[in-house]
Amino acid sequence: MVALHATSGTDLRNLVLADVLLTRRQLLIRRPHSRHVVHLDDTTDALLHAWLRYRHQRWPRTVNAHLLVTQQTVSATDPVSADYVYRRFDPAGLTLRAVRADRILDEARETEDPVHLVRVFGISITTAMKCIHAAHPHRLGPVPR
């Protein structure tokens, strides 16, 4: 989700099963002041199906509605910890934030359209403009504040 869709750690932690729209191949990311729909590619869709099967086989009676659960959270209703999400990247020597930023910047290199970045990643127009400027500094004026 992070490498392909630039999902933030907070967004990952807060996903609940009701946000998984399998028949539409979508995830609904709920944020305090907005919602963002992630359209799933074949790889993410297959991995999500595999995770849901594993989750159901391992913890069939869990009351935790969050998409991501662990042995520690399966008997509660809390999301996984931020540390849990961020530490998944440690073995590769990466950080979640760096992978997310790299994915957005990669997309910005392919386009000069900030609206495209807003739609694909659910980021603000200001952030999208900064990414476009970083990807194409020779084509644009000063960086927006």
Side-chain angles (χ1 to χ4, degrees):
M1 288 298 301
V2 177
L4 294 176
H5 301 285
T7 309
S8 74
T10 300
D11 290 341
L12 283 175
R13 292 179 62 233
N14 291 329
L15 281 170
V16 294
L17 295 173
D19 297 334
V20 178
L21 309 171
L22 291 176
T23 57
R24 294 183 185 172
R25 292 180 53 144
Q26 296 175 338
L27 282 179
L28 178 61
I29 296 179
R30 300 167 197 266
R31 296 178 178 144
H33 302 290
S34 67
R35 292 181 181 187
H36 173 62
V37 175
V38 174
H39 300 276
L40 302 176
D41 58 287
D42 292 341
T43 301
T44 308
D45 186 58
L47 290 169
L48 184 57
H49 274 86
W51 166 252
L52 289 170
R53 279 190 304 278
Y54 172 79
R55 182 187 190 280
H56 180 70
Q57 289 169 352
R58 176 112 190 244
W59 301 293
R61 292 187 178 97
T62 183
V63 295
N64 194 324
H66 288 89
L67 177 63
L68 299 180
V69 292
T70 66
Q71 192 64 42
Q72 290 73 35
T73 65
V74 73
S75 60
T77 57
D78 299 326
V80 295
S81 70
D83 186 58
Y84 173 82
V85 173
Y86 286 98
R87 296 189 107 226
R88 302 304 100 198
F89 293 84
D90 289 348
L94 302 169
T95 66
L96 183 146
R97 286 186 178 110
V99 171
R100 181 174 191 264
D102 188 60
R103 174 63 185 102
I104 295 170
L105 188 57
D106 182 62
E107 191 71 20
R109 285 186 191 106
E110 297 296 319
T111 183
E112 291 184 45
D113 182 6
V115 175
H116 173 75
L117 298 180
V118 170
R119 287 183 180 150
V120 171
F121 301 118
I123 58 178
S124 72
I125 193 69
T126 302
T127 300
M129 288 300 296
K130 288 178 182 179
C131 292
I132 295 291
H133 188 271
H136 306 281
H138 56 286
R139 297 185 186 173
L140 301 171
V143 178
R145 291 183 184 223

